Amino acid sequence: MQSRIEIAAPAKINLTLDVKGKRTDGYHELETIMQQIDLQDRITIEKGPLGYIGIDSNSSLIPHNQENLAHRAAALFIDKYAIGAGVKIFIEKNIPIGAGLAGGSSNAAAVLWGLNLLFDCGLAKTELLDLAAQVGSDVPFCLLGGCALARGRGEILQPLVSRVPLCLLLVKPDFQVSTAEVYRQFDLTSVERSPDTAGFLESWQHCDIIGIAEHMVNVLESVTIKKFPEIALIKVKMKKLGALNALMSGSGPSVFGIFDEKKRAFEAMETMKTSYREVFMVSTHRCNEAGD
Ligand code: C5P
């Protein structure tokens, strides 16, 4: 039996994000289209001393203890399906932190997936999705991958088949955002435009990239842009540089622009790099197996 496994942990963006209201459990009811992108962390899991869960990383910016979602995922999995086992987890961080890209959730999903293989537990995806929802709202999507319409807290997933790979430019400004704080400050009455999810899906089905771009709306911009107006400037700049549209991902502050030409995205990247440290040209190519 193998003693070590390596798993890719891709980031996600939200192509639309709507908040339908606050729930009695304190969470918000969502309707969001989530899409995996090819910017990814790499998780290595090794069997360790009995009962031990260790986290190490090439980044000093993430917690190396129980606060890390990867640790929480491992503890939950081991408690239920690999009692007494120990693991050493190494996180090679490439996804910006506190960025609205589900970096931590993606690491947790990779740990659940990896432990299932490493300890030969044979859990079905539905069982892993159930564990994932206990770790965090974005973790089930990260486990499923591809593209999906998410409802509930984010755990009710409807996979979407995607036929056109999207060419995207991602900019993460030099500050971080707390998701919990953004949701706490969210006020439905301050929302200027909500996504038309049905309209988005219509464009999606017809591989209509212009329609997809036009339907990209995220209601959480109403909170995060108020606090960090620079996000709005990045959106404007991205559109001036040729993006069909640009949107904040999740609770922010990352902004992605959607391009119809790789060459134009590349030129925009070169310009953005003169102002921002974390700029990535990414694609959804090879991220869509789950929906196919
Ligand atoms: O589920 P997770 O711990 O990743 O969520 C982080 C925070 O974001 C939650 O504590 C909650 O405040 C907020 N949240 C929410 N509604 C959701 C998802 C997250 O209010 N659907």
Side-chain angles (χ1 to χ4, degrees):
M1 206 192 273
Q2 60 184 341
S3 63
R4 185 178 189 274
I5 194 164
E6 238 189 276
I7 309 272
K12 65 86 187 147
I13 52 167
N14 300 77
L15 292 168
T16 66
L17 196 159
D18 200 8
V19 176
K20 297 291 191 186
K22 189 151 185 204
R23 304 163 24 139
T24 49
D25 62 4
Y27 282 87
H28 290 77
E29 192 64 25
L30 302 184
E31 186 171 82
T32 175
I33 292 165
M34 301 170 98
Q35 168 73 61
Q36 232 170 21
I37 55 175
D38 60 1
L39 171 65
Q40 54 192 33
D41 294 342
R42 289 208 75 79
I43 310 295
T44 307
I45 313 172
E46 259 179 83
K47 288 185 180 170
L50 292 185
Y52 174 80
I53 301 177
I55 304 270
D56 197 6
S57 174
N58 63 339
S59 166
S60 55
L61 301 174
I62 58 168
H64 289 194
N65 56 22
Q66 294 90 319
E67 277 172 45
N68 194 306
L69 286 187
H71 189 290
R72 225 184 288 168
L76 200 68
F77 187 98
I78 288 171
D79 226 35
K80 209 161 171 196
Y81 298 107
I83 295 164
V87 284
K88 293 187 208 169
I89 298 169
F90 185 84
I91 302 172
E92 181 198 305
K93 252 296 145 209
N94 304 306
I95 304 171
I97 295 144
L101 301 171
S105 301
S106 173
N107 296 172
V111 164
L112 294 176
W113 190 256
L115 289 179
N116 190 33
L117 294 173
L118 193 62
F119 291 104
D120 215 5
C121 294
L123 298 190
K125 211 165 206 179
T126 48
E127 288 169 285
L128 289 175
L129 284 168
D130 195 47
L131 278 186
Q134 294 174 49
V135 181
S137 304
D138 286 345
V139 185
F141 169 75
C142 292
L143 194 73
L144 186 72
C147 182
L149 170 60
R151 293 200 170 91
R153 270 170 59 210
E155 84 289 15
I156 304 170
L157 297 167
Q158 181 187 329
L160 298 174
V161 176
S162 36
R163 296 183 194 89
V164 215
L166 304 176
C167 174
L168 306 161
L169 182 65
L170 191 65
V171 174
K172 154 72 174 54
D174 258 345
F175 47 86
Q176 294 184 23
V177 162
S178 151
T179 302
E181 200 182 316
V182 171
Y183 277 106
R184 222 176 2 255
Q185 289 169 2
F186 178 75
D187 172 11
L188 209 51
T189 60
S190 311
V191 172
E192 283 171 18
R193 185 181 168 205
S194 297
D196 165 11
T197 304
F200 181 96
L201 292 175
E202 175 92 17
S203 301
W204 187 256
Q205 263 160 13
H206 291 101
C207 303
D208 167 14
I209 188 106
I210 307 280
I212 289 172
E214 276 171 2
H215 284 98
M216 293 184 343
V217 179
N218 177 352
V219 298
L220 295 180
E221 285 186 345
S222 63
V223 181
T224 316
I225 291 183
K226 203 192 268 170
K227 190 161 178 204
F228 299 106
E230 191 177 344
I231 294 168
L233 296 180
I234 299 172
K235 287 181 59 168
V236 169
K237 199 164 177 183
M238 195 86 92
K239 285 185 253 186
K240 271 198 190 142
L241 291 170
L244 299 172
N245 200 358
L247 193 73
M248 187 183 83
S249 180
S251 53
S254 298
V255 172
F256 62 91
I258 182 165
F259 287 79
D260 58 358
E261 262 183 55
K262 238 181 177 168
K263 186 173 168 286
R264 199 167 303 177
F266 185 80
E267 286 162 4
M269 175 177 74
E270 294 299 307
T271 307
M272 283 293 189
K273 274 186 174 170
T274 61
S275 311
Y276 295 96
R277 257 184 336 116
E278 295 182 281
V279 180
F280 309 88
M281 204 170 132
V282 297
S283 163
T284 60
H285 184 55
R286 285 192 228 280
C287 292
N288 295 321
E289 290 85 4
D292 288 341

